[in-house]
Amino acid sequence: MHSLAERGVPLEERPRTNLSGLSDWDAARIFLEVVRCGSFRSAAERLSLSINAVRRRIDDFERQTGTTLFTRDVHGTHLTDEGAMVVSAVERMEAAAFDVLRTSDSTANALAGEVRVAVTEGLGTFWLAPRLVEFQQAYPKVLVDLHCAMRPADVSRQEADVAIHLSRPSALDVKLVRLGRMHLMFWASEKYLAKYGTPRSAHELIKHRLVLQFADQLAAKETFESFFPGVSERDLLVMKTNVSSANYWAVANGAGIGVFPSYAIALGGKLIPLEVELNRPLDIWLSYHPGSGRIPRVRHMIDWLIEAFDPTRFPWFKEEFVHPHEFKDSYMGEPLTQLFGGFSTEEQR
């Protein structure tokens, strides 16, 4: 079946949907989530609701709008032409609601209130959290909500005021700043290398024990296959985890070889960088909504974050790869372990 637009029906001749009787924004929000997730089940998981609750709210929303928004068959859920028109209207409602919130925020005490920062778990735990005391001391009335997770946050939908990503966001209505670049390497602990030896090539890695982070199962599977084509995970992995911190400390204590950014040398776990080529740089991006960027406390956070990833100050974020053994010559600042807030794994005496 072709949509009205595909059949060339003029806009003025298409059926109109009446939203004047809409009284439940929450139902509209759930409808939008179903559209964006592509299914009732995925939307229910995202919203932490039961699938039956989501279906009831969609039924309510269809009664309010007076039209059928979805058709259901054995192949799944499909948006009707009328539903597509409602999507556009509800997205405008969503944008207007966000503008109201931002306007309210900007008229409040400029340098007091909450700033929500979303960041990947590794960068949040090892880089930002130990250094946020600088921001807090400068702006003591600002509450920082640091949300560390591998799923990227969408600032255009108010999931965060500022977000840091390891791939360029695709949203068109956000401001983007390229902060720097993360360079990945293979690492192992002194304890592990003393017991199993030091691999000198990618081929030798296959004979070793690996510990890897699998935050996104599909992406991690593709990455593993690109590292080790033709090798089964079961033949090589001894441990996998979904968070960077657990992954790091397992490797630091000798569980196996892991993949970490070049700054891992400063995290306090006595890791040794392996001279096995891994050309996998990741660009670091910052995103924020243009309206949020005009709120003073958010603007100060944005400026602080840009400075916190400044490649001219911190060589591990430079465009070109700087070997960890060269950090002492290229970085001028406080001791690295102190900068990252690392903890030693050495036995206390």
Side-chain angles (χ1 to χ4, degrees), residues 169-315:
S170 58
L172 299 178
D173 55 346
V174 301
K175 293 287 189 180
L176 295 177
V177 179
R178 187 173 177 274
L179 296 175
R181 176 166 283 189
M182 178 188 293
H183 299 272
L184 300 178
M185 303 179 66
F186 286 106
W187 299 77
S189 70
E190 294 176 346
K191 183 191 301 184
Y192 176 89
L193 296 179
K195 184 173 183 178
Y196 295 101
T198 303
R200 303 293 180 183
S201 66
H203 178 72
E204 291 185 13
L205 273 178
I206 299 175
K207 304 173 185 177
H208 282 262
R209 304 158 60 87
L210 261 68
V211 177
L212 294 180
Q213 180 184 358
F214 281 62
D216 181 321
Q217 291 294 326
L218 181 59
K221 185 176 185 296
E222 293 174 349
T223 301
F224 180 89
E225 290 174 350
S226 68
F227 287 167
F228 308 104
V231 179
S232 169
E233 289 181 14
R234 291 186 177 182
D235 294 336
L236 197 54
L237 292 182
V238 295
M239 177 179 172
K240 57 184 179 180
T241 178
N242 66 325
V243 292
S244 304
S245 50
N247 188 36
Y248 177 83
W249 290 113
V251 174
N253 282 283
I257 293 172
V259 176
F260 303 107
S262 56
Y263 61 65
I265 199 169
L267 300 185
K270 298 288 187 182
L271 285 188
I272 308 297
L274 304 182
E275 303 306 320
V276 177
E277 184 177 355
L278 176 60
N279 186 21
R280 288 300 176 97
L282 299 173
D283 288 338
I284 307 170
W285 293 88
L286 179 147
S287 69
Y288 62 95
H289 190 280
S292 297
R294 293 191 289 271
I295 301 173
R297 65 177 181 274
V298 178
R299 182 71 252 177
H300 282 289
M301 172 57 76
I302 293 169
D303 293 341
W304 182 84
L305 287 169
I306 292 173
E307 186 176 345
F309 286 89
D310 183 0
T312 62
R313 294 180 59 199
F314 309 115

Side-chain angles (χ1 to χ4, degrees), residues 26-343:
D26 196 49
R29 178 181 64 87
I30 291 173
F31 162 71
L32 209 52
E33 200 66 49
V34 172
V35 173
R36 287 166 172 166
C37 291
S39 72
F40 282 68
R41 185 172 302 279
S42 296
E45 292 175 356
R46 180 77 178 267
L47 296 167
S48 298
L49 296 173
S50 70
I51 191 170
N52 287 333
V54 170
R55 286 189 174 121
R56 284 196 300 271
R57 301 312 299 274
I58 295 301
D59 289 342
D60 291 342
F61 193 55
E62 287 183 328
R63 283 192 290 272
Q64 290 182 53
T65 59
T67 189
T68 299
L69 303 174
F70 296 104
T71 58
R72 292 96 160 168
D73 58 32
V74 294
H75 301 293
T77 301
H78 311 281
L79 199 62
T80 64
D81 286 316
E82 294 77 11
M85 295 176 67
V86 172
V87 170
S88 178
V90 173
E91 285 181 335
R92 291 195 297 273
M93 292 169 59
E94 181 185 53
F98 290 164
D99 285 342
V100 169
L101 290 174
R102 294 185 187 104
T103 301
S104 175
D105 279 345
S106 63
T107 57
N109 190 342
L111 293 180
E114 184 174 330
V115 178
R116 294 167 300 155
V117 180
V119 62
T120 57
E121 189 261 341
L123 280 174
T125 299
F126 292 120
W127 181 239
L128 288 185
R131 306 187 66 246
L132 270 171
V133 64
E134 299 173 5
F135 183 87
Q136 193 276 329
Q137 288 175 344
Y139 307 103
K141 294 184 179 180
V142 175
L143 168 64
V144 179
D145 180 359
L146 184 66
H147 184 73
C148 302
M150 293 311 297
R151 186 185 71 82
D154 187 345
V155 295
S156 67
R157 296 173 59 195
Q158 289 286 84
E159 292 180 349
D161 298 308
V162 187
I164 295 172
H165 318 259
L166 293 180
S167 60
R168 181 178 180 132
S170 58
L172 299 178
D173 55 346
V174 301
K175 293 287 189 180
L176 295 177
V177 179
R178 187 173 177 274
L179 296 175
R181 176 166 283 189
M182 178 188 293
H183 299 272
L184 300 178
M185 303 179 66
F186 286 106
W187 299 77
S189 70
E190 294 176 346
K191 183 191 301 184
Y192 176 89
L193 296 179
K195 184 173 183 178
Y196 295 101
T198 303
R200 303 293 180 183
S201 66
H203 178 72
E204 291 185 13
L205 273 178
I206 299 175
K207 304 173 185 177
H208 282 262
R209 304 158 60 87
L210 261 68
V211 177
L212 294 180
Q213 180 184 358
F214 281 62
D216 181 321
Q217 291 294 326
L218 181 59
K221 185 176 185 296
E222 293 174 349
T223 301
F224 180 89
E225 290 174 350
S226 68
F227 287 167
F228 308 104
V231 179
S232 169
E233 289 181 14
R234 291 186 177 182
D235 294 336
L236 197 54
L237 292 182
V238 295
M239 177 179 172
K240 57 184 179 180
T241 178
N242 66 325
V243 292
S244 304
S245 50
N247 188 36
Y248 177 83
W249 290 113
V251 174
N253 282 283
I257 293 172
V259 176
F260 303 107
S262 56
Y263 61 65
I265 199 169
L267 300 185
K270 298 288 187 182
L271 285 188
I272 308 297
L274 304 182
E275 303 306 320
V276 177
E277 184 177 355
L278 176 60
N279 186 21
R280 288 300 176 97
L282 299 173
D283 288 338
I284 307 170
W285 293 88
L286 179 147
S287 69
Y288 62 95
H289 190 280
S292 297
R294 293 191 289 271
I295 301 173
R297 65 177 181 274
V298 178
R299 182 71 252 177
H300 282 289
M301 172 57 76
I302 293 169
D303 293 341
W304 182 84
L305 287 169
I306 292 173
E307 186 176 345
F309 286 89
D310 183 0
T312 62
R313 294 180 59 199
F314 309 115
W316 41 91
F317 296 131
K318 282 188 174 182
E319 184 82 12
E320 67 279 8
F321 172 71
V322 179
H323 197 284
H325 293 323
E326 299 174 9
F327 286 171
K328 290 182 179 179
D329 297 327
S330 57
Y331 168 69
M332 302 298 174
E334 60 186 289
L336 288 179
T337 300
Q338 181 178 338
L339 186 70
F340 281 85
F343 299 92

